[in-house]
């Protein structure tokens, strides 16, 4: 048989096999390289794979270890973990609840605002959802909120850290797309391509992140008008609201100062993401010290959590490198390129297909697993079709945000289930998340129809 056809058949079979093995419950970090090596061995037996190609993995791993941009990942994770231990989230939730509580849907609005602020200062989805679930969900249930609406608001607000900078997803996307875009432009004869950096993606994600927040708030206000019983207002006395303005300032100013120091320095071009992440880590420790929470037990706990999370991400990245190499050497990348370029609708059709594929995979895979596997396969094809790399990175990040909310493996749903009272059923949590999944799809459609919402701010800041 033709080795080319065998290789293409094996590449497709490898993709299906990985999905099947993951559904059996095997760890993704070992499933990706394990299945890939098995299919590489089969391809070698049929003359469709040269095992000497695996020697290129060593310099690839060395490049990952020497990449200064990726140093920002553990630093931002440390910053988020430290802020979560400092108690800022609890203070924000209490203060925002007092501020908006008198409005119908006010508690829901306060959760969304706090979720946005925590996303811009921590970006840790799990910690945000658990914290808001512990503090806000009981308060919302006592206020007679619909459990489904309360659950959906908390889960969706907690996932804003995936799109609002500083997002670890955007850091990896910026690094990957920067290299891919440079390679694609050189293949097209452009030897001075525009640089695509993490800062570009942070700037591009700023307006879509705000759009998501506004869409969530609009939905809660619509629910308040259409079904007032689902999100009633709180009854509070003047004594309970005494000193509210001062409390809002005291609570908001430190958080906003940290956000401006970290994001402002990146967007203004003053510091690189790694440098600003260092500033953020020191700032988080300073805020924790001001609140009396900076001590050795907390510091040790934060460092252990940071090491665990960072190790998990990079082990997945290393395993995905084996998968993408074997897939490409078997000829799978050419097969994917032919399929995507042959879709009806040309560029738009290709984008819709890739977005739909990532959305479906979000039901069973984590965000990092999807970007490490799918982006190396599909992004070069889309970039060759003149898709803007910054726009592509941001729209993928918005799409991947839905993976935290889609059952059966939506991590935000699991996080909330772990802290929700027994009166809130798993079905309530699932059904509560569905409207917000639809809202995220709506935002994706808006960004496809109006790409300038992503590309305008990077062009103003960096061109």
């Amino acid at each position: 048989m033709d080795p080319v056809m065998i290789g293409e058949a094996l590449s497709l079979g490898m993709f299906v096999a990985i999905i099947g093995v993951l559904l059996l419950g095997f760890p993704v970090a070992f499933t990706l390289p394990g299945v890939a090596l098995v299919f590489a061995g089969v391809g070698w037996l049929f003359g469709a794979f040269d095992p000497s190609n695996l020697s290129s993995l060593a310099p690839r791993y060395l490049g990952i270890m020497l990449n200064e941009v990726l140093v920002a990942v553990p630093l931002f994770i440390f910053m988020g973990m430290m802020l979560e231990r400092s108690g800022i989230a609890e203070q924000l939730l209490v203060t925002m609840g007092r501020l908006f509580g008198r409005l119908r849907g006010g508690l829901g609005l306060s959760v969304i605002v706090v979720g946005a602020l925590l996303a811009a200062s921590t970006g840790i989805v799990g910690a945000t959802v658990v914290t808001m679930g512990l503090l806000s969900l009981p308060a919302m249930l006592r206020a007679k909120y619909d459990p489904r609406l309360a659950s959906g608001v908390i889960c969706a607000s907690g996932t804003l850290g995936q799109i609002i900078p500083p997002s670890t997803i955007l850091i990896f996307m910026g690094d990957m797309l920067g290299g891919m875009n440079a390679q694609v432009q050189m293949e097209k004869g452009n030897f001075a391509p525009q640089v695509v950096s993490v800062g570009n993606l942070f700037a591009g994600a700023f307006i879509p992140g705000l759009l998501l927040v506004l869409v969530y708030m609009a939905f809660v206000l619509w629910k308040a008008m259409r079904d007032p019983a689902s999100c009633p207002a709180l009854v509070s006395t003047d004594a309970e609201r005494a000193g509210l303005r001062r409390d809002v300032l005291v609570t908001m100013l430190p958080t906003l100062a940290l956000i401006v120091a970290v994001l402002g320095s990146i967007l203004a071009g003053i510091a690189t993401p790694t440098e600003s992440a260092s500033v953020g880590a020191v700032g988080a420790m300073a805020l924790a010290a001001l609140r009396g929470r900076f001590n050795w037990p907390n510091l040790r706990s934060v460092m252990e959590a940071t090491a665990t999370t960072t190790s998990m991400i990079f082990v997945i990245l290393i395993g995905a490198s084996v998968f993408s190499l074997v897939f490409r050497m078997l000829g799978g990348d050419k097969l994917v390129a032919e399929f995507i370029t042959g879709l009806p609708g040309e560029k738009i059709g290709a984008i819709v297909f890739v977005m739909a594929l990532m959305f479906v995979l979000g039901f069973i895979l984590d965000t990092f697993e999807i970007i490490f596997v799918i982006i190396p396969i599909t992004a070069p094809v889309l970039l060759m079709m003149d898709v803007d790399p910054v726009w592509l990175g941001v729209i993928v990040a918005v799409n991947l945000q839905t993976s935290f909310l889609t059952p059966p493996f939506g991590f935000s749903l699991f996080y909330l289930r772990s802290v929700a009272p027994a009166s809130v059923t798993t079905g309530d949590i699932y059904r509560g998340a569905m409207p917000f999944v639809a809202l995220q799809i709506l935002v994706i459609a808006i960004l496809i129809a109006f790409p300038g919402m992503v590309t305008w701010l990077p062009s103003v800041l960096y061109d």
Side-chain angles (χ1 to χ4, degrees):
M1 293 181 64
D2 185 2
V4 175
M5 294 182 63
I6 294 176
E8 292 178 348
L10 287 174
S11 64
L12 292 178
M14 182 172 65
F15 192 84
V16 175
I18 283 179
I19 300 298
V21 174
L22 288 175
L23 289 175
L24 293 176
F26 287 91
V28 64
F30 307 112
T31 297
L32 290 172
V35 173
L37 291 176
V38 169
F39 276 79
V42 175
W44 176 46
L45 292 176
F46 287 93
F49 182 83
D50 184 357
S52 64
N53 291 323
L54 295 175
S55 62
S56 64
L57 288 172
R60 181 176 299 191
Y61 293 156
L62 182 63
I64 293 173
M65 291 186 288
L66 297 178
N67 192 331
E68 292 184 4
V69 174
L70 298 183
V71 176
V73 173
L75 289 172
F76 278 129
I77 293 174
F78 177 90
M79 182 182 76
M81 295 291 184
M82 181 58 69
L83 286 175
E84 189 267 332
R85 297 294 197 283
S86 70
I88 287 179
E90 294 94 324
Q91 190 174 14
L92 282 171
L93 283 167
V94 172
T95 305
M96 291 299 105
R98 291 171 59 200
L99 181 63
F100 292 106
R102 285 187 170 183
L103 298 173
R104 280 205 305 261
L107 280 180
L109 296 177
S110 67
V111 169
I112 295 171
V113 171
V114 172
L117 290 173
L118 293 178
S121 55
T122 67
I124 306 299
V125 172
T128 302
V129 173
V130 169
T131 300
M132 293 196 298
L134 286 170
L135 297 175
S136 296
L137 186 57
M140 297 171 85
L141 295 177
R142 286 195 300 269
K144 306 301 182 183
Y145 266 62
D146 184 338
R148 289 174 292 183
L149 177 62
S151 301
V153 168
I154 292 172
C155 289
S157 301
T159 63
L160 288 171
Q162 287 297 295
I163 182 62
I164 295 179
S167 163
T168 52
I169 288 290
L170 293 177
I171 295 173
F172 282 106
M173 293 281 289
D175 182 67
M176 295 168 68
L177 289 174
M180 293 175 187
N181 184 63
Q183 183 177 356
V184 167
Q185 294 302 318
M186 290 183 66
E187 292 178 3
K188 297 174 70 172
N190 179 10
F191 296 101
Q194 181 180 357
V195 176
V196 178
S197 66
V198 175
N200 292 125
L201 260 70
F202 278 9
F206 189 77
I207 293 177
L210 289 179
L211 178 62
L212 267 174
V213 172
L214 293 175
V215 169
Y216 290 170
M217 296 179 75
F219 174 74
V220 172
L221 291 174
W222 175 77
K223 284 287 290 185
M225 291 186 294
R226 182 175 177 271
D227 185 14
S230 66
C231 47
L234 287 179
V235 178
S236 59
T237 64
D238 292 335
E240 292 173 334
R241 295 177 61 85
L244 180 57
R245 293 183 180 179
R246 178 184 58 82
D247 292 343
V248 170
L249 287 176
V250 171
T251 304
M252 294 283 288
L253 284 180
T255 306
L256 292 177
L258 184 63
I259 293 172
V260 170
V262 174
L263 293 185
S265 61
I266 297 174
L267 298 180
I270 299 173
T272 65
T274 302
E275 293 166 345
S276 66
S278 303
V279 173
V282 174
M285 289 188 286
L287 290 180
L290 289 174
R291 297 178 57 82
R293 302 285 187 93
F294 187 68
N295 50 49
W296 173 243
N298 276 345
L299 180 60
R300 179 175 179 175
S301 174
V302 168
M303 290 191 296
E304 290 177 350
T306 300
T308 301
T309 304
T310 305
S311 301
M312 177 199 70
I313 294 172
F314 279 91
V315 168
I316 293 174
L317 174 59
I318 290 172
S321 298
V322 180
F323 169 84
S324 60
L325 174 67
V326 174
F327 185 85
R328 187 166 61 254
M329 293 305 170
L330 287 173
D333 58 337
K334 296 179 182 178
L335 190 64
V336 170
E338 292 175 358
F339 176 78
I340 291 179
T341 54
L343 289 171
E346 298 180 350
K347 184 193 298 187
I348 296 298
I351 292 169
V352 171
F353 169 77
V354 173
M355 291 301 106
L357 175 63
M358 290 185 176
F359 178 78
V360 173
L361 290 177
F363 283 81
I364 55 176
L365 297 178
D366 183 31
T367 53
F368 289 105
E369 300 158 11
I370 295 174
I371 65 168
F372 293 155
V373 172
I374 302 300
I375 292 298
I377 296 173
T378 60
V381 183
L382 296 177
L383 295 175
M384 191 66 72
M385 300 173 73
D386 295 325
V387 173
D388 186 278
V390 176
W391 178 84
L392 177 62
V394 171
I395 198 172
V396 166
V398 177
N399 191 356
L400 293 180
Q401 190 178 341
T402 62
S403 68
F404 280 89
L405 299 176
T406 48
F409 300 121
F411 284 93
S412 287
L413 310 179
F414 290 157
Y415 294 141
L416 184 60
R417 175 67 278 171
S418 67
V419 297
S423 60
V424 179
T425 66
T426 302
D428 289 332
I429 297 174
Y430 281 4
R431 285 190 290 271
M434 288 301 100
F436 292 92
V437 172
L439 293 176
Q440 290 175 350
I441 295 174
L442 172 64
V443 170
I444 293 174
I446 293 173
L447 297 179
I448 292 177
F450 303 100
M453 298 185 72
V454 175
T455 58
W456 174 77
L457 187 57
S459 67
V460 170
L461 295 176
Y462 298 108
D463 285 353

